[in-house]
Amino acid sequence: MAKKITMDDLKKRLQERQYKLTPQRQTVLQIFLGRAGEHLSAEDVHGILRQNQSEIGLATVYRSLELLSDINILQKMDFGDGRSRYELNETDAKEHQHHHLICLKCGTVKEFADDLLEPLELDISEKSQFQIIDHQVKFYGYCQECQKKRED
């Protein structure tokens, strides 16, 4: 089981890349630490900040998220809804990212970690003489709640 990431870990990762942990970055990162496994857009983060009476503006949130994803502290994802989503990048560089189940109705995103594609990846790599570093899978459909609503 992976070690839980702390603010000290994130501060060290920033410093290793020659960046400071500004108060704004710390506040943004604290949101992700408190919502592990959630996939948050810039607007989601800004909304949480406003609920907490923070004065950090949306432009600062966007800049922080872009920087933190550029230096691999956050993972930036596109689920096809026109909004980038972010989550803490907790994976080891040698491991595959987890995969996602995306509800087409409510937009809920769930993760699953089973890497059933490992044999396929090895087969493709051997046949094509292509060194595969990683893959990402997104399944689109309807979550259990939306399925129930469709049946009503």
Side-chain angles (χ1 to χ4, degrees):
M1 187 166 129
K3 174 186 159 235
K4 185 172 168 94
I5 294 178
T6 66
M7 188 59 73
D8 286 339
D9 296 329
L10 296 174
K11 182 177 181 180
K12 183 178 175 188
R13 287 166 67 181
L14 273 162
Q15 290 172 338
E16 287 169 353
R17 293 163 177 86
Q18 311 302 311
Y19 290 96
K20 292 181 181 178
L21 181 61
T22 64
Q24 295 87 349
R25 291 175 191 155
Q26 181 167 353
T27 301
V28 168
L29 285 170
Q30 197 64 52
I31 289 172
F32 286 94
L33 285 170
R35 289 169 174 75
E38 290 188 34
H39 307 85
L40 303 173
S41 68
E43 293 80 6
D44 295 333
V45 171
H46 187 247
I48 293 165
L49 290 169
R50 290 188 62 185
Q51 287 174 355
N52 295 331
Q53 312 301 315
S54 173
E55 298 293 322
I56 298 174
L58 185 57
T60 301
V61 171
Y62 272 108
R63 282 193 303 275
S64 297
L65 294 175
E66 283 302 310
L67 170 71
L68 294 168
S69 67
D70 286 347
I71 60 175
N72 290 323
I73 289 176
L74 295 179
Q75 181 185 1
K76 182 178 181 178
M77 294 161 284
D78 177 7
F79 295 127
D81 62 357
R83 295 188 326 170
S84 293
R85 309 280 178 100
Y86 302 84
E87 69 178 338
L88 277 178
N89 188 356
E90 301 180 78
T91 58
D92 185 321
K94 297 178 221 82
E95 295 178 9
H96 288 299
Q97 301 290 340
H98 51 263
H99 305 304
H100 297 94
L101 305 171
I102 304 154
C103 181
L104 294 169
K105 182 155 180 78
C106 70
T108 299
V109 178
K110 293 189 178 184
E111 300 175 352
F112 70 98
D114 291 348
D115 196 358
L116 305 173
L117 297 178
E118 191 90 23
L120 177 61
E121 185 177 294
L122 291 170
D123 187 48
I124 290 170
S125 184
E126 286 176 15
K127 288 179 180 174
S128 65
Q129 297 300 302
F130 187 82
Q131 182 184 9
I132 298 172
I133 304 301
D134 199 2
H135 63 262
Q136 189 177 83
V137 176
K138 300 174 195 171
F139 289 100
Y140 296 90
Y142 298 99
C143 68
Q144 192 171 10
E145 288 299 311
C146 291
Q147 288 177 57
K148 288 179 188 173
K149 291 175 189 172
R150 288 172 51 122
E151 292 170 2
D152 294 342

